[in-house]
Amino acid sequence: MKFYVLTLFPEIPRAFFENSIMAKAVEKGIIAYEMVNIRDFAFDKHKTCDDSPYGGGAGMLMKTEPLCKALESVKVKPKVLDAKKAKKSKTKKSKRVIYVTPSGKPLTQKLAYELSQEEELVFICGRYEGIDQRIIDSYVDDEISIGDYVLSSGEIAATVIIDSVYRLVDGVISSESLEEESFSDGLLEYPQYTRPEVFQGMKVPDVLLSGHHENIRKWRLKKRLAKTLKNRPDMISSARSSGKLTQEAEQMIEEIIKGN
Ligand code: ADE
C-alpha cells in the first residue's frame, strides 16, 4: 500500500514513517510513502501558500493553485474527468483522496479497515482555516475527522489516520494481535499484566497465574464488559443491537451491575 501526504510541513508525518513498526513495514516493501511539499508548487517569489477568504472572516485559507498542482503531481485528477476515463477504459478510479478536517466524518476502526483495503491513499493536510470548497468538490473522496476538537493543522490528524490504517494491512502485524484488540469485536480490551508478580504491593490476579484457560477466558471477558460498561456504555448498546453479546456476556453484565 502506498500513502501520499500533501503537506506544508513534511517533517511532521515523515518522522512517523521513519520509526518503529512503520519503518520495518517500509523496509519490507509492504508500505511505501511519498511526502509532497505543497510549497514546492507555489509560483510567486515568496512561495505564498495562503490566501484570504471571499466574503471576509477571520484567518486565511490554503491557496488553491499550489494545492491543485500538488494533487496533479501525484496523478490525482478531478473526479469528473477521472470517472469519465474509468468508464471509457474500464479501469479503476484513481487514488482515494482524503482531506483531514474537524468537519469530516469520524475515524472509526471500521473506516480504518475499509481504507486498509485500498492500494493507494492520498492525504491532504490542511493549515490555516482550511481549503477552498471547490478542491473538496473536485478531488476529495472522504473528509475525515479524528475527533471533536480542533488541532492547529492536519499533519498530526493525517498521521493518526495513517497509523490506524497501515497496521491493518496484511503482513504488517500478526492477525492474532489484531483480533484481540479493543474495537475489533465491539468491546474494549481486558487488563494486562507482566512481571514482577507483585508491583508496589499490588499482586497480579491469581486467575492469570492458574494456567486454567477457561477461567482466564471468563475473567477476561468479564473485565472487558466491565470496562466497556464504565468507559463506553454506548458500545455495549451497539454490541447488543448488532447481536454481538452472547447469553454468557449478558449474564456477566447483570452480575457487574449488581456489583458481583
Ligand atoms: N485538523 C484539525 N483538527 C482536526 C481534527 N480534529 N480531525 C482531522 N483534522 C483536523
Side-chain angles (χ1 to χ4, degrees), residues 99-104 126 144-155 157-158 161:
Y99 171 46
V100 287
T101 163
S103 344
I144 301 179
S145 165
I146 62 160
D148 291 344
Y149 42 80
V150 180
L151 304 174
S152 48
S153 73
E155 282 75 15
I161 302 171

Side-chain angles (χ1 to χ4, degrees), residues 132-149:
D132 190 300
Q133 183 60 38
R134 291 163 297 180
I135 294 271
I136 300 176
D137 295 342
S138 195
Y139 293 95
V140 172
D141 297 296
D142 305 79
E143 292 175 83
I144 301 179
S145 165
I146 62 160
D148 291 344
Y149 42 80

